[in-house]
Amino acid sequence: RMGRVQGAALSHLGLTCAHHPHDSSAFVKLLALASVWPLVALVYAGAKARHTPQLGSAPALLLAESVARCLKHAVRQPRPAASAALLGLAATPGWPSSHAALAAAFAAYETLEALSSAAAAPPPSPLRLAEVAAFWLLALLTAASRVALGYHSVAQVTAGALVGLCAAALWWQVAGDGAALRRAALTH
């Protein structure tokens, strides 16, 4: 337990500082666990980047995190007032959500990668398609967790997701198969 505010006991989930009421339902505890997903995605992307010459989604995640943090400190939109005080985050900006940005960037880049392999032979395996669908589900759960746990508003996680989508699309165009497709079109 982290502490008590107005009689509410808080529990703390490691790695991502996801506090939730100590007597939370199993669903709320699952949402707190979903907050860990962006860290898992970052480790996955980093490990994958070590084995591919294109670096995969790792730079897109770093770009999403950097842009989200810059926007947070430039705009300084506060987190939802009621929960920010309870969580001890009243002084930290909330727009856009970095968790939502990372999760969306990862899911979007992995989707672009799977779609580009669909254009080549053979098409992506059902397992790869299921993996991409799971990434989107985890991105949605991450965004939902940030709202349900009171860390962000819907607008803040939506903005974070948009930052992530843009970062993935930009990195795809710069260094992913988007760049390779443009080069191929220019040579034909």
Side-chain angles (χ1 to χ4, degrees), residues 54-180:
Q54 297 86 8
L55 296 176
S57 58
L61 296 178
L62 295 174
L63 179 61
E65 177 68 13
S66 299
V67 170
R69 286 198 181 268
C70 287
L71 286 171
K72 271 186 189 198
H73 293 289
V75 175
R76 305 213 45 86
Q77 184 185 81
R79 295 174 185 270
S83 55
L86 178 67
L87 297 167
L89 298 170
T92 63
W95 185 93
S97 166
S98 294
H99 280 78
L102 285 169
F106 184 73
Y109 193 89
E110 292 296 320
T111 299
L112 289 168
E113 200 172 70
L115 291 175
S116 77
S117 67
S125 71
L127 182 61
R128 176 67 171 137
L129 296 176
E131 181 183 48
V132 169
F135 294 153
W136 281 109
L137 176 63
L138 288 165
L140 181 63
L141 282 172
T142 299
S145 77
R146 305 312 286 173
V147 173
L149 297 171
Y151 284 88
H152 295 286
S153 67
V154 172
Q156 290 171 342
V157 296
T158 301
L162 289 173
V163 165
L165 293 173
C166 290
L170 179 62
W171 181 246
W172 182 257
Q173 287 302 313
V174 169
D177 279 355

Side-chain angles (χ1 to χ4, degrees), residues 2-45:
M2 290 304 296
R4 293 185 179 273
V5 177
Q6 298 173 353
L10 295 178
S11 289
H12 177 75
L13 178 69
L15 299 176
T16 64
C17 298
H19 293 82
H20 57 86
H22 185 63
D23 58 350
S24 297
S25 69
F27 182 69
V28 170
K29 289 177 183 174
L30 174 68
L31 288 177
L33 190 57
S35 289
V36 176
W37 170 243
L39 291 175
V40 173
L42 192 56
V43 170
Y44 176 91

